[in-house]
Amino acid sequence: AASDVYKRQVHVFDFDGTLYLTSETVYVWSPRGDSEINGQSCFRLNSSEYSGFQICNDESINESSFREFNSVNWDKATEVIPVLNIFQNQSNKKILTARPGSVEPKIRSKINGDFDFIGLGNSDPNLKVDFMKSIHREKIIYEDSISVINLCKENSIKCCHVSHEAGLTSLLYYI
């Protein structure tokens, strides 16, 4: 009975930092940046760093901050084995990513099987939660962003926080 519900529910997986640790970075435009691009000072964050990042008043993130996310550098990407195993063993699954929809063929070239792909092209946590609310059946989201996890918890959406520390992956379920 309980296992039947688990099998029937929709499993929604974030991509960066959840299914794969990727090398693409977010450019944060900041006067404290350690790099300069087109005359603008910036620093870069990987997906895991970005998932818990709090922007300062004098910093900005815009469309050009995600310039690297139109592709996936598979040579530098690392599988998040526990989450990938869960993904591969589900029949009703989706990948919900902040990456644009145009990256879908690149992701499908590496991840085999039957799954829906939703590329939001936006990192706003509210968009992921709104998508989850639009699923009118049992569901759970696997996600590394604490902002998305907190919003899911506030909206009584089952979720699994995927975190990485000292080379270890941990999964914390809120159901």
Side-chain angles (χ1 to χ4, degrees), residues 35-138:
S35 299
E36 192 171 298
I37 309 242
N38 297 328
Q40 284 190 286
S41 177
C42 68
F43 59 87
R44 295 162 51 166
L45 301 172
N46 66 34
S47 299
S48 295
E49 293 166 332
Y50 180 69
S51 72
F53 178 70
Q54 295 293 317
I55 194 165
C56 294
N57 289 337
D58 62 348
E59 296 173 333
S60 66
I61 296 172
N62 57 29
E63 191 173 305
S64 66
S65 296
F66 300 93
R67 60 180 4 104
E68 295 180 5
F69 288 85
N70 292 317
S71 189
V72 179
N73 184 340
W74 291 115
D75 293 335
K76 293 184 178 179
T78 306
E79 297 174 335
V80 179
I81 299 294
V83 184
L84 211 49
N85 285 342
I86 295 167
F87 177 85
Q88 290 168 340
N89 286 301
Q90 301 311 316
S91 57
N92 194 355
K93 57 194 170 194
K94 302 176 185 304
I95 293 178
L96 175 64
T97 179
R99 287 178 182 254
S102 61
V103 80
E104 179 178 359
K106 294 166 181 82
I107 290 176
R108 287 190 183 276
S109 74
K110 184 75 170 177
I111 302 176
N112 296 320
D114 185 27
F115 61 90
D116 294 329
F117 181 89
I118 302 92
L120 296 172
N122 191 311
S123 65
D124 181 351
N126 291 296
L127 294 176
K128 284 191 174 181
V129 173
D130 288 347
F131 178 83
M132 292 300 291
K133 288 179 183 177
S134 75
I135 300 172
H136 300 291
R137 54 194 288 202
E138 286 291 317

Side-chain angles (χ1 to χ4, degrees), residues 18-36:
T18 302
L19 289 171
Y20 283 84
L21 295 176
T22 54
S23 64
E24 290 77 27
T25 57
V26 177
Y27 293 79
V28 178
W29 309 109
S30 170
R32 289 169 297 288
D34 56 10
S35 299
E36 192 171 298

